[in-house]
Amino acid sequence: MFETLVVDDFLNEREQEIVRSNLLQRAKWQLITDMDGKEDAKYPSYGFVHVFKHPEHGIMSEFCEAVLGLFLPKFEEKAGFNPKQVYYTRSFLQIPLEARHHKERNNVHVDIPQSHVAAVYYVTDSDGDTILYDNRYGEDVKTLKRHKTVTPKAGRMVFFDGHRYHCSSQPTNSLRCIINFDLIV
């Protein structure tokens, strides 16, 4: 089991700006009609996704190699492990929505059922915390117990056991942009 680790300034300021400008000024985003994955939600929490690497479709972004080139060398140094494989990586972009669309949190989930380390890199400062739970894949989620809440801060990265249930929350004041990694160790 991988212990939760929060690392500030995972990338230096120049690297942070490279990632931020590529994602916010050049990336092609796909609309998500609801961050919970519900097609018919009465009040959907819209967002956008940009997939870098998909487990079935391979590299899907012109920025994939540049992004991985910045992150991969730092996993050992800053988080203490070298992933055997970057299984899946994508970016999510959420914007503040009308109050009627606001939810306390988005869908509680695990990214993939196999053993892995999940990581979230925060591209921007924002509200819209990431909530990690003690509950793990296969366990009851009717009663959730919070493990840790991480507030988005540009350059911050959180690593956690990928079997830990987690969720995002919708920003109310600012743009929330993250990169999500599923790493096989």
Side-chain angles (χ1 to χ4, degrees):
M1 176 183 358
F2 188 87
E3 293 301 319
T4 303
L5 174 67
V6 177
V7 179
D8 283 340
D9 300 317
F10 188 82
L11 298 179
N12 66 42
E13 287 183 27
R14 182 187 64 78
E15 293 165 332
Q16 289 178 39
E17 182 53 35
I18 289 169
V19 170
R20 185 175 24 257
S21 65
N22 279 326
L23 280 174
L24 300 181
Q25 297 172 15
R26 296 183 194 88
K28 295 175 184 157
W29 293 91
Q30 180 181 359
L31 177 67
I32 301 172
T33 54
D34 189 69
M35 294 301 289
D36 284 349
K38 297 175 185 167
E39 295 292 323
D40 60 349
K42 182 175 181 181
Y43 296 113
S45 54
Y46 300 101
F48 301 88
V49 64
H50 178 86
V51 178
F52 292 99
K53 182 177 184 280
H54 189 280
E56 295 172 9
H57 305 293
I59 293 175
M60 298 181 66
S61 169
E62 64 185 291
F63 305 113
C64 184
E65 290 180 14
V67 166
L68 292 180
L70 290 173
F71 284 89
L72 285 174
K74 297 186 183 231
F75 287 141
E76 178 77 40
E77 171 194 345
K78 302 231 175 177
F81 72 94
N82 242 338
K84 293 177 186 167
Q85 178 187 10
V86 177
Y87 183 79
Y88 196 7
T89 186
R90 58 219 177 266
S91 188
F92 291 102
L93 177 67
Q94 295 171 270
I95 57 176
L97 302 171
E98 290 182 27
R100 68 186 173 123
H101 291 273
H102 187 75
K103 301 173 186 175
E104 180 183 341
R105 60 175 167 73
N106 291 312
N107 188 39
V108 175
H109 66 283
V110 296
D111 295 342
I112 57 175
Q114 71 190 79
S115 180
H116 70 289
V117 172
V120 176
Y121 173 78
Y122 300 97
V123 178
T124 57
D125 291 335
S126 75
D127 57 336
D129 291 344
T130 300
I131 305 164
L132 309 176
Y133 296 97
D134 283 339
N135 311 61
R136 296 180 189 279
Y137 181 72
E139 295 178 357
D140 178 31
V141 291
K142 290 178 185 162
T143 306
L144 293 167
K145 183 177 177 197
R146 269 190 202 210
H147 167 70
K148 189 169 200 64
T149 300
V150 183
T151 299
K153 176 185 171 202
R156 175 174 286 162
M157 193 156 188
V158 59
F159 297 88
F160 55 96
D161 181 338
H163 276 171
R164 188 179 291 282
Y165 281 101
H166 60 282
C167 66
S168 63
S169 50
Q170 191 71 33
T172 58
N173 300 314
S174 56
L175 185 77
R176 181 184 193 272
C177 185
I178 62 103
I179 301 175
N180 169 253
F181 296 86
D182 292 313
L183 306 165
I184 308 300
V185 292

